Amino acid sequence: MSKVERPELADEPESVLFAGPGEMRARCRAFDWASTPLGAVARWPQSLRTAVSLVLASGFPSVLHVGPEATFVYNDAWAELLDSAHRDALGHSSLETFAESRGAFEPYLRRALAGETVEPSEVTFPIAREDGSGGAVGTRWFTVSYAPLRDERGLVSGVVVTAVETTAARRATAALIEGETRLRLAVDVAELGTWEWDLVTGRGQIDQRGARIVGLAPGPLDDVMRAQLECIHPDDVGPLQARIAACIERGGAFDLEYRVIYPDRSVHHVASQARVLTDSAGTPVKLVGTNRDITTERVASAEREQLLTASEMERAAADLARRRLETVLEHLPVGVTLAEAPSGRLLVSNSAVRRIWGLDTPAARVADYNTLYVGFRPGTERQYANDEWPLARALTHGEIVTDEVIDIVRPDGTRRRLSISAAPVRDARGGTLGGVVLSIDVTERERLLAETEAARGAAEAARAEAEAASRAKSEFLAVMSHELRTPLNAIGGYAELMEMGIRGPVTVQQQEDLARIQTSQRHLLGLINEVLNYTKLETGMVRYAMSDVRARDAVAEAEGLIVPQARARGLGLAIVPCADTILVRADPEKLRQVLVNLLSNAVKFTDAGGRVEVLCESRDDVVRIHVSDTGIGIPPDRCEAIFEPFVQVRSDLTRTAEGTGLGLAISRDLARGMGGELTVESTLASGSTFTLTLARGGAG
Ligand code: ADP
């Protein structure tokens, strides 16, 4: 062919075909195509030239695989996809250059070469690292189509490959899927149920968990809200409906809590959040929301509340108890200290401690509490050894110390005597936590005790002395009386002999004198006998021969002895005979002696014309014999004294009436000696009643 015939081929064909911007056009221009199976550009058929031109001009990554060796021609967009290892793929066999991935694209290539337009399929390309290491930093997605390139004869001479990148769409889809998965997961983790309610149709949907939470069956619902409301606690329905209605009206969202009642009647707490969706005109069309079972949280918080209230109350009670204890401690007159074991450091001490130990003076410092560890054995200057100190014994040996008296010297130098009690305080397992010490100031108590003791000793000594003196007196009297009786009897005896004329004739004058001597002798003898009697009683020498004595007989005997005396004084005697049955426990001799004494006193102290009475009375297990008179009586303040020996109310009277003042003393001693008593009731100038009380006889 001549140049003239084919001018377009001879004229630098590359510059025409590869003219234009871009790296690949430039490389194509510079490339030695003659060395490739395609041969010099000038010889390329028109179909190839058109295809190459289209590929280079395409904005999409495009490639041509030409001829049986699949010679590779590609544009700038494709060049960007090639890693550094394949940058020089231009004009080489793609099957060889991409030998490692050939398996992935060759089948498509073959199908296209066979004339088929292969449906677009998705392929990935690694995103190469900038450093040229060949490593990938990510993936790009492309939808690739393989189309046959036909030559002028209609034969397939190559394959045109066009790629459309889908990475962004891919990523968006992946992100969407990921987002949805996350959302599901969040809903799952939060244990949320979901529901929606079409406000226009009234129909809706609730998922499985959402339905379970409100005690419904899952699935489509004609009226989700109505169905939900049916399960709700009657007290919560009204407020809930009102708030939902307000929210639909106003738009926006709501966040509600309510209770639902399950078919098994159990009550659950539910939290529901929802949002109103509106159409473009702003009309509410949908309500979408979640619900969550918050029963456990509510129950737990209610319990926590309860526990808090309970612990609050406990704390208040404990506070009150502590304040009361402190008040009690502060007002106790006893010093109370609580010490720590084993240090002995004081944890608590009340004001009494400071007062008792003399630590409330301005001079006393806290350190002075150490004086609590100082104490002296009472009455000595010997200080306690560490181990002997009561608190130490309680703390270290667990000993209980009770009322141990110690002496202390206060910081101001005064000495006090204290009573110390101490006991260990143990924990639940028996270990020693500390010790309690009680201190009481017993200085005054001890002083009073000592004084009382001394006084008692003195009284004891005085009494012993008096008893000894009294005994000596009684013994003296006994001896004296006995010594006097013998010569007195002799006087009486000799006077009688003389009176009888045995010693010779006696004149009338002498007879009268002898009678006076005898009267005086009898009187003196009587006195001496009484003294002797009394001293016998006093010295405890009297023996009682107790028996059941008929009261009537004893009274009659005494009466017999007193009648002459009463007559002589012109008195009336009124003896009411005792009942026959009345027996008394008595020594008959001594009973008569008492009665004679009482009767003779009555006669002696009653003036002429008066009366003397005897009356017997038996009540319960005692017998009372009353001897009454209408005589001179006894002043009230002397009624007890007359029972003392030698006591007489009026000595002038007595002298005329004669007497020793011993009769009543002897009588009371005798009455008591027989287990009875002798008492008097008297009115001055009108009379006296003496009452002898004895145990009733005949019993047992
Ligand atoms: P005495 O009769 O020997 O003086 P008593 O011991 O029998 O001693 O009596 C003591 C005193 O009690 C009497 O001196 C008298 O003052 C008073 N007394 C006793 N009996 C009566 C009485 N019946 N009426 C008035 N005074 C009485």
PDB file of all heavy atoms in Angstrom, residues 597 601-602 604-605 629 632-634 642 647-650 654 659-664 688 690, ligand 1:
ATOM      1  N   ASN A 597     -49.491  -9.705 196.606  1.00  0.00           N
ATOM      2  CA  ASN A 597     -48.831  -8.399 196.484  1.00  0.00           C
ATOM      3  C   ASN A 597     -49.767  -7.373 195.858  1.00  0.00           C
ATOM      4  O   ASN A 597     -49.900  -6.239 196.348  1.00  0.00           O
ATOM      5  CB  ASN A 597     -47.545  -8.555 195.666  1.00  0.00           C
ATOM      6  CG  ASN A 597     -46.719  -7.271 195.671  1.00  0.00           C
ATOM      7  OD1 ASN A 597     -46.770  -6.493 196.629  1.00  0.00           O
ATOM      8  ND2 ASN A 597     -45.995  -7.031 194.600  1.00  0.00           N
ATOM      9  N   ASN A 601     -51.344  -4.178 197.861  1.00  0.00           N
ATOM     10  CA  ASN A 601     -51.140  -2.808 197.371  1.00  0.00           C
ATOM     11  C   ASN A 601     -52.480  -2.100 197.217  1.00  0.00           C
ATOM     12  O   ASN A 601     -52.632  -0.931 197.606  1.00  0.00           O
ATOM     13  CB  ASN A 601     -50.436  -2.823 196.010  1.00  0.00           C
ATOM     14  CG  ASN A 601     -48.916  -2.844 196.157  1.00  0.00           C
ATOM     15  OD1 ASN A 601     -48.390  -2.729 197.268  1.00  0.00           O
ATOM     16  ND2 ASN A 601     -48.223  -3.008 195.042  1.00  0.00           N
ATOM     17  N   ALA A 602     -53.468  -2.823 196.648  1.00  0.00           N
ATOM     18  CA  ALA A 602     -54.794  -2.233 196.423  1.00  0.00           C
ATOM     19  C   ALA A 602     -55.394  -1.784 197.760  1.00  0.00           C
ATOM     20  O   ALA A 602     -55.939  -0.678 197.866  1.00  0.00           O
ATOM     21  CB  ALA A 602     -55.703  -3.239 195.722  1.00  0.00           C
ATOM     22  N   LYS A 604     -53.688  -1.211 200.498  1.00  0.00           N
ATOM     23  CA  LYS A 604     -52.810  -0.210 201.104  1.00  0.00           C
ATOM     24  C   LYS A 604     -53.075   1.196 200.541  1.00  0.00           C
ATOM     25  O   LYS A 604     -53.034   2.178 201.271  1.00  0.00           O
ATOM     26  CB  LYS A 604     -51.356  -0.599 200.803  1.00  0.00           C
ATOM     27  CG  LYS A 604     -50.379  -0.141 201.836  1.00  0.00           C
ATOM     28  CD  LYS A 604     -49.053  -0.927 201.832  1.00  0.00           C
ATOM     29  CE  LYS A 604     -48.412  -1.062 200.471  1.00  0.00           C
ATOM     30  NZ  LYS A 604     -47.073  -1.710 200.555  1.00  0.00           N
ATOM     31  N   PHE A 605     -53.364   1.270 199.203  1.00  0.00           N
ATOM     32  CA  PHE A 605     -53.480   2.587 198.574  1.00  0.00           C
ATOM     33  C   PHE A 605     -54.933   2.998 198.305  1.00  0.00           C
ATOM     34  O   PHE A 605     -55.205   3.813 197.438  1.00  0.00           O
ATOM     35  CB  PHE A 605     -52.651   2.635 197.287  1.00  0.00           C
ATOM     36  CG  PHE A 605     -51.174   2.456 197.552  1.00  0.00           C
ATOM     37  CD1 PHE A 605     -50.523   1.279 197.250  1.00  0.00           C
ATOM     38  CD2 PHE A 605     -50.449   3.482 198.174  1.00  0.00           C
ATOM     39  CE1 PHE A 605     -49.181   1.119 197.526  1.00  0.00           C
ATOM     40  CE2 PHE A 605     -49.099   3.306 198.452  1.00  0.00           C
ATOM     41  CZ  PHE A 605     -48.445   2.125 198.140  1.00  0.00           C
ATOM     42  N   ASP A 629     -58.847  -1.210 192.074  1.00  0.00           N
ATOM     43  CA  ASP A 629     -59.230  -0.527 193.312  1.00  0.00           C
ATOM     44  C   ASP A 629     -59.762   0.854 192.987  1.00  0.00           C
ATOM     45  O   ASP A 629     -59.647   1.322 191.852  1.00  0.00           O
ATOM     46  CB  ASP A 629     -58.026  -0.439 194.266  1.00  0.00           C
ATOM     47  CG  ASP A 629     -56.870   0.309 193.670  1.00  0.00           C
ATOM     48  OD1 ASP A 629     -57.055   1.488 193.268  1.00  0.00           O
ATOM     49  OD2 ASP A 629     -55.753  -0.277 193.538  1.00  0.00           O
ATOM     50  N   ILE A 632     -56.007   5.803 195.321  1.00  0.00           N
ATOM     51  CA  ILE A 632     -55.426   7.120 195.000  1.00  0.00           C
ATOM     52  C   ILE A 632     -54.922   7.225 193.565  1.00  0.00           C
ATOM     53  O   ILE A 632     -54.686   8.317 193.057  1.00  0.00           O
ATOM     54  CB  ILE A 632     -54.263   7.459 195.971  1.00  0.00           C
ATOM     55  CG1 ILE A 632     -53.151   6.393 195.857  1.00  0.00           C
ATOM     56  CG2 ILE A 632     -54.763   7.561 197.404  1.00  0.00           C
ATOM     57  CD1 ILE A 632     -51.867   6.776 196.559  1.00  0.00           C
ATOM     58  N   GLY A 633     -54.716   6.075 192.904  1.00  0.00           N
ATOM     59  CA  GLY A 633     -54.239   6.090 191.513  1.00  0.00           C
ATOM     60  C   GLY A 633     -52.763   6.435 191.401  1.00  0.00           C
ATOM     61  O   GLY A 633     -52.100   6.743 192.405  1.00  0.00           O
ATOM     62  N   ILE A 634     -52.267   6.360 190.187  1.00  0.00           N
ATOM     63  CA  ILE A 634     -50.831   6.578 189.942  1.00  0.00           C
ATOM     64  C   ILE A 634     -50.712   7.624 188.830  1.00  0.00           C
ATOM     65  O   ILE A 634     -51.408   7.548 187.815  1.00  0.00           O
ATOM     66  CB  ILE A 634     -50.156   5.258 189.494  1.00  0.00           C
ATOM     67  CG1 ILE A 634     -50.399   4.166 190.548  1.00  0.00           C
ATOM     68  CG2 ILE A 634     -48.673   5.435 189.218  1.00  0.00           C
ATOM     69  CD1 ILE A 634     -50.327   2.774 190.008  1.00  0.00           C
ATOM     70  N   ILE A 642     -43.005   2.450 188.499  1.00  0.00           N
ATOM     71  CA  ILE A 642     -43.318   1.711 189.738  1.00  0.00           C
ATOM     72  C   ILE A 642     -42.910   0.252 189.648  1.00  0.00           C
ATOM     73  O   ILE A 642     -42.816  -0.441 190.672  1.00  0.00           O
ATOM     74  CB  ILE A 642     -44.826   1.789 190.110  1.00  0.00           C
ATOM     75  CG1 ILE A 642     -45.682   1.367 188.909  1.00  0.00           C
ATOM     76  CG2 ILE A 642     -45.201   3.184 190.584  1.00  0.00           C
ATOM     77  CD1 ILE A 642     -47.140   1.168 189.261  1.00  0.00           C
ATOM     78  N   VAL A 647     -38.837   1.841 193.712  1.00  0.00           N
ATOM     79  CA  VAL A 647     -39.522   3.065 193.278  1.00  0.00           C
ATOM     80  C   VAL A 647     -40.889   3.126 193.964  1.00  0.00           C
ATOM     81  O   VAL A 647     -41.670   2.185 193.916  1.00  0.00           O
ATOM     82  CB  VAL A 647     -39.700   3.103 191.750  1.00  0.00           C
ATOM     83  CG1 VAL A 647     -40.586   4.288 191.345  1.00  0.00           C
ATOM     84  CG2 VAL A 647     -38.338   3.223 191.078  1.00  0.00           C
ATOM     85  N   GLN A 648     -41.116   4.253 194.606  1.00  0.00           N
ATOM     86  CA  GLN A 648     -42.412   4.481 195.246  1.00  0.00           C
ATOM     87  C   GLN A 648     -42.876   5.857 194.818  1.00  0.00           C
ATOM     88  O   GLN A 648     -42.082   6.783 194.696  1.00  0.00           O
ATOM     89  CB  GLN A 648     -42.250   4.426 196.771  1.00  0.00           C
ATOM     90  CG  GLN A 648     -41.812   3.033 197.215  1.00  0.00           C
ATOM     91  CD  GLN A 648     -41.550   2.957 198.714  1.00  0.00           C
ATOM     92  OE1 GLN A 648     -40.941   3.848 199.300  1.00  0.00           O
ATOM     93  NE2 GLN A 648     -42.009   1.867 199.308  1.00  0.00           N
ATOM     94  N   VAL A 649     -44.193   5.986 194.581  1.00  0.00           N
ATOM     95  CA  VAL A 649     -44.686   7.261 194.065  1.00  0.00           C
ATOM     96  C   VAL A 649     -44.577   8.358 195.127  1.00  0.00           C
ATOM     97  O   VAL A 649     -44.014   9.414 194.873  1.00  0.00           O
ATOM     98  CB  VAL A 649     -46.128   7.123 193.562  1.00  0.00           C
ATOM     99  CG1 VAL A 649     -46.689   8.484 193.144  1.00  0.00           C
ATOM    100  CG2 VAL A 649     -46.163   6.163 192.379  1.00  0.00           C
ATOM    101  N   ARG A 650     -45.054   8.080 196.286  1.00  0.00           N
ATOM    102  CA  ARG A 650     -44.955   9.109 197.348  1.00  0.00           C
ATOM    103  C   ARG A 650     -44.352   8.482 198.594  1.00  0.00           C
ATOM    104  O   ARG A 650     -44.990   7.674 199.265  1.00  0.00           O
ATOM    105  CB  ARG A 650     -46.338   9.672 197.664  1.00  0.00           C
ATOM    106  CG  ARG A 650     -46.861  10.579 196.566  1.00  0.00           C
ATOM    107  CD  ARG A 650     -48.254  11.046 196.864  1.00  0.00           C
ATOM    108  NE  ARG A 650     -48.309  11.823 198.105  1.00  0.00           N
ATOM    109  CZ  ARG A 650     -49.436  12.269 198.644  1.00  0.00           C
ATOM    110  NH1 ARG A 650     -50.584  12.004 198.023  1.00  0.00           N
ATOM    111  NH2 ARG A 650     -49.427  12.958 199.774  1.00  0.00           N
ATOM    112  N   THR A 654     -45.887   6.176 201.663  1.00  0.00           N
ATOM    113  CA  THR A 654     -45.356   4.826 201.788  1.00  0.00           C
ATOM    114  C   THR A 654     -44.882   4.562 203.194  1.00  0.00           C
ATOM    115  O   THR A 654     -45.065   3.471 203.725  1.00  0.00           O
ATOM    116  CB  THR A 654     -44.200   4.634 200.797  1.00  0.00           C
ATOM    117  OG1 THR A 654     -44.632   5.092 199.547  1.00  0.00           O
ATOM    118  CG2 THR A 654     -43.801   3.188 200.702  1.00  0.00           C
ATOM    119  N   GLY A 659     -43.454  -0.368 203.329  1.00  0.00           N
ATOM    120  CA  GLY A 659     -43.125  -1.026 202.048  1.00  0.00           C
ATOM    121  C   GLY A 659     -41.708  -0.733 201.656  1.00  0.00           C
ATOM    122  O   GLY A 659     -41.065   0.165 202.209  1.00  0.00           O
ATOM    123  N   THR A 660     -41.235  -1.526 200.697  1.00  0.00           N
ATOM    124  CA  THR A 660     -39.840  -1.401 200.272  1.00  0.00           C
ATOM    125  C   THR A 660     -39.722  -0.836 198.863  1.00  0.00           C
ATOM    126  O   THR A 660     -38.656  -0.448 198.422  1.00  0.00           O
ATOM    127  CB  THR A 660     -39.182  -2.789 200.232  1.00  0.00           C
ATOM    128  OG1 THR A 660     -39.976  -3.617 199.374  1.00  0.00           O
ATOM    129  CG2 THR A 660     -39.087  -3.384 201.606  1.00  0.00           C
ATOM    130  N   GLY A 661     -40.827  -0.872 198.115  1.00  0.00           N
ATOM    131  CA  GLY A 661     -40.725  -0.471 196.701  1.00  0.00           C
ATOM    132  C   GLY A 661     -40.214  -1.616 195.853  1.00  0.00           C
ATOM    133  O   GLY A 661     -39.813  -1.423 194.702  1.00  0.00           O
ATOM    134  N   LEU A 662     -40.249  -2.824 196.420  1.00  0.00           N
ATOM    135  CA  LEU A 662     -39.765  -3.982 195.663  1.00  0.00           C
ATOM    136  C   LEU A 662     -40.892  -4.874 195.162  1.00  0.00           C
ATOM    137  O   LEU A 662     -40.719  -5.663 194.239  1.00  0.00           O
ATOM    138  CB  LEU A 662     -38.831  -4.821 196.556  1.00  0.00           C
ATOM    139  CG  LEU A 662     -37.381  -4.319 196.669  1.00  0.00           C
ATOM    140  CD1 LEU A 662     -36.652  -5.088 197.764  1.00  0.00           C
ATOM    141  CD2 LEU A 662     -36.648  -4.457 195.349  1.00  0.00           C
ATOM    142  N   GLY A 663     -42.080  -4.753 195.793  1.00  0.00           N
ATOM    143  CA  GLY A 663     -43.188  -5.667 195.503  1.00  0.00           C
ATOM    144  C   GLY A 663     -43.518  -5.794 194.024  1.00  0.00           C
ATOM    145  O   GLY A 663     -43.589  -6.897 193.478  1.00  0.00           O
ATOM    146  N   LEU A 664     -43.704  -4.673 193.329  1.00  0.00           N
ATOM    147  CA  LEU A 664     -44.094  -4.733 191.914  1.00  0.00           C
ATOM    148  C   LEU A 664     -42.947  -5.228 191.035  1.00  0.00           C
ATOM    149  O   LEU A 664     -43.164  -5.940 190.053  1.00  0.00           O
ATOM    150  CB  LEU A 664     -44.582  -3.362 191.422  1.00  0.00           C
ATOM    151  CG  LEU A 664     -45.972  -2.954 191.937  1.00  0.00           C
ATOM    152  CD1 LEU A 664     -46.331  -1.549 191.456  1.00  0.00           C
ATOM    153  CD2 LEU A 664     -47.031  -3.952 191.470  1.00  0.00           C
ATOM    154  N   SER A 688     -56.844   2.235 190.277  1.00  0.00           N
ATOM    155  CA  SER A 688     -55.898   1.559 189.400  1.00  0.00           C
ATOM    156  C   SER A 688     -56.378   0.146 189.137  1.00  0.00           C
ATOM    157  O   SER A 688     -57.078  -0.449 189.946  1.00  0.00           O
ATOM    158  CB  SER A 688     -54.518   1.465 190.054  1.00  0.00           C
ATOM    159  OG  SER A 688     -54.169   2.693 190.638  1.00  0.00           O
ATOM    160  N   PHE A 690     -54.482  -3.413 187.990  1.00  0.00           N
ATOM    161  CA  PHE A 690     -53.298  -4.181 187.614  1.00  0.00           C
ATOM    162  C   PHE A 690     -53.772  -5.453 186.931  1.00  0.00           C
ATOM    163  O   PHE A 690     -54.713  -6.092 187.374  1.00  0.00           O
ATOM    164  CB  PHE A 690     -52.453  -4.518 188.853  1.00  0.00           C
ATOM    165  CG  PHE A 690     -51.689  -3.318 189.360  1.00  0.00           C
ATOM    166  CD1 PHE A 690     -52.297  -2.371 190.169  1.00  0.00           C
ATOM    167  CD2 PHE A 690     -50.349  -3.147 189.010  1.00  0.00           C
ATOM    168  CE1 PHE A 690     -51.600  -1.269 190.616  1.00  0.00           C
ATOM    169  CE2 PHE A 690     -49.651  -2.048 189.469  1.00  0.00           C
ATOM    170  CZ  PHE A 690     -50.254  -1.092 190.275  1.00  0.00           C
TER     171      PHE A 690
HETATM  172  P1  ADP B   1     -44.345  -0.898 198.119  1.00  0.00           P
HETATM  173  O1  ADP B   1     -45.767  -1.250 198.022  1.00  0.00           O
HETATM  174  O2  ADP B   1     -43.596  -1.747 198.997  1.00  0.00           O
HETATM  175  O3  ADP B   1     -44.028   0.514 198.129  1.00  0.00           O
HETATM  176  P2  ADP B   1     -44.481  -1.793 195.473  1.00  0.00           P
HETATM  177  O4  ADP B   1     -43.427  -2.164 194.477  1.00  0.00           O
HETATM  178  O5  ADP B   1     -45.483  -2.834 195.740  1.00  0.00           O
HETATM  179  O6  ADP B   1     -43.750  -1.330 196.708  1.00  0.00           O
HETATM  180  O7  ADP B   1     -45.203  -0.508 194.985  1.00  0.00           O
HETATM  181  C1  ADP B   1     -44.459   0.546 194.492  1.00  0.00           C
HETATM  182  C2  ADP B   1     -45.258   1.807 194.526  1.00  0.00           C
HETATM  183  O8  ADP B   1     -46.323   1.756 193.603  1.00  0.00           O
HETATM  184  C3  ADP B   1     -45.946   2.047 195.741  1.00  0.00           C
HETATM  185  O9  ADP B   1     -45.103   2.644 196.712  1.00  0.00           O
HETATM  186  C4  ADP B   1     -47.046   2.987 195.346  1.00  0.00           C
HETATM  187  O10 ADP B   1     -46.554   4.293 195.263  1.00  0.00           O
HETATM  188  C5  ADP B   1     -47.398   2.500 194.022  1.00  0.00           C
HETATM  189  N1  ADP B   1     -48.584   1.589 194.090  1.00  0.00           N
HETATM  190  C6  ADP B   1     -48.585   0.236 194.055  1.00  0.00           C
HETATM  191  N2  ADP B   1     -49.856  -0.243 194.028  1.00  0.00           N
HETATM  192  C7  ADP B   1     -50.673   0.819 194.031  1.00  0.00           C
HETATM  193  C8  ADP B   1     -52.093   0.981 194.023  1.00  0.00           C
HETATM  194  N3  ADP B   1     -52.925  -0.066 194.006  1.00  0.00           N
HETATM  195  N4  ADP B   1     -52.591   2.232 194.079  1.00  0.00           N
HETATM  196  C9  ADP B   1     -51.762   3.314 194.120  1.00  0.00           C
HETATM  197  N5  ADP B   1     -50.422   3.237 194.107  1.00  0.00           N
HETATM  198  C10 ADP B   1     -49.869   1.987 194.055  1.00  0.00           C
END
